[in-house]
Amino acid sequence: MKGQFTGRHMAATMIAFFGVVIAVNLVMARYATSTFGGVVVENSYVASQHYNRWLDEAAAENALGWRARASRTADGRVAIALAGVPKGAVALSGDARHPLGRMPDQTLQFAPDGKGGYVSRGVLPAGRWRLRIEVRAGGHKWRTEQDLM
C-alpha cells in the first residue's frame, strides 16, 4: 500500500510539533527577559503596605492640576515647561531612567531658563529615557513620569 502512515511518521510528527513548541517558548522567554523595563522593589510586602497611601498622594497631586512638558534642547539638555504651577519659589528635580536598563540612571538638576521654563544643568545622553519629574512649590509636591526620545 502506498502512502501508509507508520509509527515513524507519527514519531516525526510528534518531534516536529514539540520542537516548534519548545523553540517558540525559548524565543518568547528570551524576549521577555531581555526587554523587561519594569521596576523591581526590594521587598514587595513592605511596598504593598504603602499602596493606599501612594494612591492618596497621587489623587492629591492630580487635584493640583499641574502639568509638565519635557523636551530636548539642541545641546542635549532637558527642558521642562510647567503649567499651572504657582509663581514663586519652585524646586524642580528629576531622574532619567533608561527603559531597558542598558544605561545607568541619571539624576537631573534644573535651573530657570529665563523664559519661564527650566533646563537641566547636565546633558542627557541621546536615546530613549523615562523621566521622573518632581516639582515642589507653594507647600505642595507634584510628581509625573513621561517618555523622552
Side-chain angles (χ1 to χ4, degrees):
M1 273 174 112
K2 187 175 181 181
Q4 190 174 27
F5 192 77
T6 64
R8 287 182 189 240
H9 293 113
M10 185 63 192
T13 301
M14 295 290 287
I15 290 170
F17 173 78
F18 285 109
V20 169
V21 169
I22 291 169
V24 168
N25 282 335
L26 290 173
V27 168
M28 297 302 279
R30 169 72 172 105
Y31 282 134
T33 58
S34 68
T35 61
F36 176 70
V39 177
V40 178
V41 295
E42 289 291 324
N43 186 329
S44 58
Y45 176 76
V46 172
S48 73
Q49 301 304 302
H50 299 290
Y51 185 72
N52 286 334
R53 180 177 52 91
W54 292 338
L55 288 178
D56 294 340
E57 289 174 359
E61 290 175 8
N62 285 338
L64 293 172
W66 297 358
R67 298 286 170 255
R69 184 175 40 87
S71 60
R72 282 188 182 272
T73 62
D75 62 356
R77 296 187 299 164
V78 177
I80 304 287
L82 298 176
V85 178
K87 302 296 182 207
V90 174
L92 180 66
S93 63
D95 292 316
R97 298 172 186 237
H98 199 264
L100 300 179
R102 296 196 175 143
M103 297 181 82
D105 295 349
Q106 306 281 327
T107 300
L108 302 173
Q109 299 298 325
F110 294 89
D113 65 2
K115 303 173 196 168
Y118 296 84
V119 66
S120 65
R121 295 180 182 181
V123 174
L124 185 64
R128 182 176 168 204
W129 293 90
R130 182 80 174 156
L131 294 180
R132 287 186 173 181
I133 302 166
E134 182 176 299
V135 180
R136 292 179 184 266
H140 298 285
K141 177 172 72 170
W142 178 78
R143 296 169 292 195
T144 187
E145 286 190 18
Q146 53 187 265
D147 289 325
L148 181 67
M149 300 292 182

